Amino acid sequence: MKRTYYAFLLLFVALYLNNGFAQIPDDEFSLLRKEISIESKKSPLAGIKKVDEILTKFNAQLAKHQQIRLLYLKSWYQISSDRIEEALSTLEQTRLLAKDITEPGILYSYYGITASAFNYIESYELALDNYMKAYKEAPLLKQPQFIQQTENNIGHVYLKLGLLDKAEYYFNRFYNHAVENNLLSQQGVGLNNLGETAFYRGDFNKAEELHQKALALRKKHGYEYHQSWSLYNLGRVYFAINELDEAEQFLNLAIERLTKQNAKSKALMPKIELARMFISQNQPLKAEKILEEVVLLSKDYKKLSTLKEALTEIATLKRLKGDFESALSSLDERNTVVQQIAERKSSIGLAHMVSQTELQTKEMALQQLEQEHQLAMSIAKSEKQIGLILLLSFMLLTSITSFFLYRLNRKKLQLQNLLTRLKRTQDKLVESEKMRAMTTLVSGMAHQLNTPLGLVITANSSLQSQVEVLTNKLSDKSLTQVQLSHFLNESNELINLSQRNSERAAEMIQTFKMMSAKLQMNERRQFEVLGFLRNKVPLIIRTYNQSIQYQITGKEIVISSYSSVLLKVINQFIENSVRHGFEEIETPLIKISVNIKLNEIEIHYSDNGVGIEQEKRSKIFDPFYTTRLSDGNLGLGLNIIYNSVVHIMHGQVECLGNDEGAHFLIVLPKNISSETVE
């Protein structure tokens, strides 16, 4: 958040460009803003509460641009208090309010604060998209500092994404502008940013030089808070070049300064870096004490990223101590945090895209309402004129009759319009339900694919970074055989990691394809169900390294259907029994019975496993529903069964109650007519 401080100031200053009419004078409005500022120093939540109080109390007296200024403040406090969803909702309100305001600073501020929200939750692609939109709006303000600050923000996002050349380009533009205009604080920021870029390139000498310059400038001009970041970055540099005494000194100074500045949450990363250094020095007690403190503070401040880093280092520490069980426990907790981060990014990103669509719909609706209002005003004016004419001219009875007929026709037209609007509303509700279902499906797929694709991106990014380091060493003629061998080994591991997770993603995509009712299937044919099952089920059971007993009973019946699809359904049932039902069963047993019922057949499948709880039976056929997500299950098996039975074989499938194990009933027609096949 430290890097967005100047951005916030500039965004807020942009709001002063519009001095339109307000029922509350500007000087009184400034006093209200001071009250908010005083409250926000207690906590961001106090600032939010104060903004709401003022909006409620002075709602009728505030001009639109004044309301927007207050809502921007509120959204900023919401971001600071980790209420990102609420902040995006507040920003949506400002966008609707700003539709009739031509002030260029309004859109610049909207995109800038929205980008800050996504930057906060590390959704860097969405942050970059909004910063780029703000960048297009910045020249309209006709003040260069808005352009330069936005370039600095864009550079930070590129840095987080590992695109160092692009990051360095924007950082250089920001720093050169600061030098040309003698902006000392911005010069310190620019030097710090360029130092971080050099650090990630592996050019530690250059990184040290730039961070030392930034520290000297900040000390000279009394920028106390920003000195802590120079100290932190120098600590990282000295740790990287194995000058551990200096690293410890600078990291401790950074922690001390940040704590003194009441920025305890910002001191978490220097503490993690210090713990890493103690681990490298084989000082586990010191490292463990720091990491436990970081875990507690991360949970208090809801800092999931630092919590993830701390748990990773704790797992490493436990592994080095030989406490593998505790190490696995820490890794499990870390993976849960990673999943929470991914789910939050996914849900907020999806909600943002949906809200943008809804925002456009609302803007169109507001335009339509405005047009209807203008039309109503015109109609009301016309009716008034007609009434005056009637009163003054004492129209004849025929004229009065004509007037009532006119009114009757208007009522009829209004009723017709009302029916038309009701029909449109009905259509919108149907589309809304479709969108909800699609949102659920997309969210589930995104959640499942996030982990393997994230690992692929991480592996590729790491490999790219190592290639750049190797290229630099090759150019400098400092490459050794040991370094080359180390690079080849790590490259092979990263490529294997990328390959495995690419294959995992491909497997997931294939599984997603099977959710469609249009599964690949063979031609319909006639076959004896009981004999078919007695022939195929033993072959399926043999594929599992487990002693499983089975019973296949019933009456023989010939049906015309898809034998290959039925085989997939039975195979999926058996797989579910093995994976979910038989883990603690000494003598697994599967029972399949075939019954005849008029023009249908019933196939009962049951096992003696752990069974399915009653409250879960209504959800088990839903896509992505699983109680074993941590084991890698996608929760698609029973959904595929449902699609196969219902949409391909035109039957029914349900989960029945059972005293022991799971019990499913499949009802199929004896013959699938050509009219029912798509």
Side-chain angles (χ1 to χ4, degrees):
M1 297 296 292
K2 67 185 180 67
R3 297 187 179 99
T4 57
Y5 174 74
Y6 293 107
F8 172 68
L9 290 179
L10 290 171
L11 292 172
F12 193 70
V13 168
L15 298 173
Y16 289 90
L17 297 178
N18 180 27
N19 291 317
F21 173 75
Q23 290 172 293
I24 293 182
D26 285 343
D27 54 348
E28 293 184 18
F29 186 66
S30 297
L31 294 176
L32 293 177
R33 291 198 306 272
K34 288 181 180 179
E35 292 180 18
I36 296 172
S37 178
I38 292 171
E39 286 297 311
S40 67
K41 290 179 181 178
K42 299 177 183 177
S43 71
L45 294 177
I48 294 171
K49 182 179 179 181
K50 191 63 178 179
V51 171
D52 287 337
E53 288 177 1
I54 292 175
L55 286 171
T56 302
K57 184 176 180 180
F58 300 99
N59 182 53
Q61 300 173 336
L62 290 169
K64 277 190 177 181
H65 69 273
Q66 292 175 334
Q67 294 179 37
I68 292 171
R69 293 177 187 177
L70 295 178
L71 289 173
Y72 278 152
L73 278 175
K74 180 180 178 180
S75 65
W76 187 261
Y77 297 143
Q78 287 169 332
I79 294 170
S80 300
S81 56
D82 195 36
R83 296 185 174 190
I84 306 303
E85 296 88 341
E86 295 179 14
L88 293 175
S89 177
T90 302
L91 288 166
E92 183 180 339
Q93 287 181 258
T94 65
R95 182 69 182 270
L96 289 173
L97 285 172
K99 73 180 189 67
D100 296 327
I101 298 178
T102 58
E103 174 190 338
I106 292 291
L107 278 182
Y108 176 83
S109 302
Y110 170 80
Y111 290 128
I113 299 177
T114 301
S116 297
F118 287 120
N119 196 36
Y120 185 91
I121 61 170
E122 300 180 4
S123 288
Y124 298 119
E125 291 81 2
L126 288 173
L128 181 62
D129 179 59
N130 281 277
Y131 276 136
M132 285 300 185
K133 290 177 181 178
Y135 195 37
K136 291 181 181 179
E137 295 290 327
L140 300 176
L141 299 171
K142 298 181 180 180
Q143 296 187 43
Q145 63 267 33
F146 292 103
I147 299 175
Q148 304 305 324
Q149 185 57 51
T150 308
E151 288 177 340
N152 184 57
N153 294 335
I154 292 171
H156 278 295
V157 177
Y158 278 131
L159 186 66
K160 293 295 184 182
L161 292 172
L163 302 174
L164 301 183
D165 289 339
K166 291 185 176 181
E168 188 173 36
Y169 169 78
Y170 284 103
F171 287 153
N172 273 320
R173 287 178 62 88
F174 176 79
Y175 176 68
N176 291 335
H177 177 266
V179 172
E180 291 171 3
N181 293 275
N182 197 30
L183 304 173
L184 300 176
S185 178
Q186 285 87 331
Q187 288 181 36
V189 173
L191 289 169
N192 185 78
N193 296 342
L194 291 169
E196 285 196 62
T197 307
F199 179 83
Y200 287 119
R201 288 188 187 281
D203 190 349
F204 301 124
N205 290 333
K206 184 177 179 181
E208 179 188 8
E209 177 186 351
L210 291 168
H211 286 310
Q212 287 286 8
K213 285 183 178 180
L215 179 60
L217 187 148
R218 287 166 168 174
K219 282 183 177 180
K220 181 178 179 180
H221 298 283
Y223 302 131
E224 290 289 334
Y225 176 77
H226 293 88
Q227 288 180 39
S228 58
W229 299 110
S230 295
L231 295 169
Y232 166 55
N233 284 318
L234 282 168
R236 295 170 67 201
V237 171
Y238 288 128
F239 181 25
I241 61 178
N242 207 32
E243 294 185 12
L244 303 183
D245 290 339
E246 289 82 355
E248 181 177 359
Q249 176 186 355
F250 279 99
L251 290 172
N252 278 321
L253 283 172
I255 295 168
E256 179 184 340
R257 291 286 178 85
L258 288 169
T259 304
K260 182 179 179 182
Q261 294 288 333
N262 198 26
K264 295 181 180 180
S265 64
K266 305 297 189 301
L268 296 178
M269 286 308 298
K271 289 182 179 180
I272 292 174
E273 196 72 16
L274 188 60
R276 287 176 179 149
M277 190 192 72
F278 285 141
I279 292 174
S280 71
Q281 291 179 303
N282 196 22
Q283 298 185 51
L285 294 178
K286 288 184 177 181
E288 187 172 12
K289 181 180 178 182
I290 293 173
L291 292 172
E292 288 176 352
E293 178 186 359
V294 171
V295 168
L296 292 175
L297 290 174
S298 296
K299 291 179 179 178
D300 288 342
Y301 294 119
K302 297 181 181 179
K303 296 289 185 179
L304 295 181
S305 295
T306 54
L307 179 58
K308 177 191 70 175
E309 295 294 332
L311 290 172
T312 301
E313 298 304 323
I314 288 175
T316 301
L317 190 61
K318 298 294 186 184
R319 179 175 56 80
L320 293 174
K321 293 170 64 176
D323 189 354
F324 297 106
E325 184 175 351
S326 296
L328 286 174
S329 176
S330 297
L331 285 176
D332 286 340
E333 187 177 356
R334 174 199 178 274
N335 291 336
T336 300
V337 173
V338 171
Q339 182 179 343
Q340 291 174 353
I341 294 172
E343 287 177 350
R344 191 179 190 200
K345 287 182 182 179
S346 177
S347 64
I348 291 177
L350 186 60
H352 175 67
M353 288 187 285
V354 172
S355 69
Q356 290 300 301
T357 303
E358 292 177 348
L359 182 62
Q360 293 177 358
T361 303
K362 289 178 182 178
E363 288 176 343
M364 293 176 62
L366 287 173
Q367 291 176 359
Q368 183 177 355
L369 287 173
E370 183 66 26
Q371 292 174 356
E372 291 176 356
H373 175 70
Q374 294 297 330
L375 180 60
M377 293 291 291
S378 299
I379 293 172
K381 184 177 181 181
S382 299
E383 290 179 347
K384 183 178 180 181
Q385 291 173 348
I386 291 172
L388 289 172
I389 292 172
L390 289 172
L391 291 173
L392 294 172
S393 61
F394 298 99
M395 293 181 64
L396 298 174
L397 182 60
T398 54
S399 300
I400 297 173
T401 304
S402 299
F403 173 76
F404 281 108
L405 288 174
Y406 167 75
R407 298 283 299 195
L408 182 62
N409 289 331
R410 278 188 55 79
K411 291 293 183 183
K412 180 181 178 181
L413 181 60
Q414 289 175 353
L415 289 174
Q416 290 176 345
N417 290 336
L418 180 60
L419 289 174
T420 301
R421 293 178 66 182
L422 287 174
K423 182 63 172 61
R424 290 176 181 172
T425 302
Q426 183 182 25
D427 293 340
K428 288 180 179 179
L429 289 174
V430 172
E431 290 300 320
S432 176
E433 183 62 22
K434 290 181 181 178
M435 179 61 72
R436 186 192 67 79
M438 183 186 71
T439 300
T440 301
L441 182 60
V442 171
S443 179
M445 290 182 177
H447 169 67
Q448 296 294 341
L449 288 171
N450 186 69
T451 299
L453 293 181
L455 289 171
V456 170
I457 293 171
T458 301
N460 290 341
S461 176
S462 299
L463 183 59
Q464 180 183 4
S465 177
Q466 292 189 22
V467 168
E468 291 176 355
V469 172
L470 187 68
T471 302
N472 291 335
K473 290 183 177 295
L474 185 62
S475 300
D476 298 337
K477 297 182 180 180
S478 61
L479 181 64
T480 66
Q481 185 175 359
V482 172
Q483 291 172 335
L484 179 59
S485 176
H486 179 70
F487 167 79
L488 293 174
N489 290 336
E490 289 194 355
S491 298
N492 188 44
E493 291 178 1
L494 291 171
I495 291 170
N496 288 337
L497 176 63
S498 178
Q499 180 65 26
R500 288 197 303 272
N501 284 278
S502 297
E503 293 171 355
R504 173 62 176 157
E507 291 173 2
M508 288 183 179
I509 292 171
Q510 291 302 319
T511 305
F512 295 153
K513 289 181 179 178
M514 293 184 68
M515 293 172 62
S516 171
K518 302 293 185 181
L519 293 174
Q520 295 181 353
M521 55 190 178
N522 296 327
E523 296 292 329
R524 285 181 294 131
R525 69 181 184 90
Q526 291 187 339
F527 63 99
E528 295 180 348
V529 177
L530 196 62
F532 176 80
L533 294 175
R534 285 175 174 171
N535 183 39
K536 298 297 184 181
V537 169
L539 299 177
I540 296 173
I541 291 177
R542 289 176 194 168
T543 61
Y544 297 95
N545 295 325
Q546 191 171 350
S547 177
I548 302 173
Q549 299 181 12
Y550 63 92
Q551 297 175 4
I552 303 176
T553 60
K555 296 181 179 180
E556 190 60 86
I557 178 68
V558 176
I559 67 172
S560 176
S561 189
Y562 300 99
S563 59
S564 61
V565 178
L566 179 59
L567 180 61
K568 290 179 181 178
V569 170
I570 298 300
N571 181 41
Q572 188 64 56
F573 275 139
I574 294 173
E575 180 180 345
N576 278 18
S577 295
V578 173
R579 298 182 67 178
H580 301 285
F582 292 156
E583 288 186 345
E584 299 178 3
I585 305 301
E586 294 181 359
T587 309
L589 174 63
I590 291 172
K591 294 180 181 180
I592 302 176
S593 65
V594 181
N595 301 324
I596 303 173
K597 183 180 179 181
L598 297 177
N599 292 323
E600 298 175 331
I601 68 165
E602 294 182 345
I603 302 176
H604 289 266
Y605 176 94
S606 61
D607 62 35
N608 65 339
V610 296
I612 302 172
E613 298 175 7
Q614 182 176 358
E615 60 269 20
K616 296 179 181 178
R617 292 175 194 159
S618 62
K619 302 178 182 178
I620 58 176
F621 293 109
D622 293 343
F624 301 105
Y625 179 77
T626 176
T627 59
R628 305 284 295 276
L629 184 63
S630 60
D631 294 342
N633 292 322
L634 297 179
L636 297 178
L638 290 175
N639 181 256
I640 292 172
I641 288 176
Y642 180 88
N643 287 342
S644 300
V645 173
V646 175
H647 298 294
I648 296 179
M649 295 191 288
H650 300 278
Q652 299 175 5
V653 59
E654 62 179 313
C655 180
L656 305 178
N658 199 22
D659 294 335
E660 180 183 30
H663 184 188
F664 293 90
L665 170 62
I666 300 173
V667 180
L668 299 175
K670 291 182 181 178
N671 294 286
I672 301 178
S673 63
S674 59
E675 289 80 12
T676 62
V677 179
E678 296 180 355

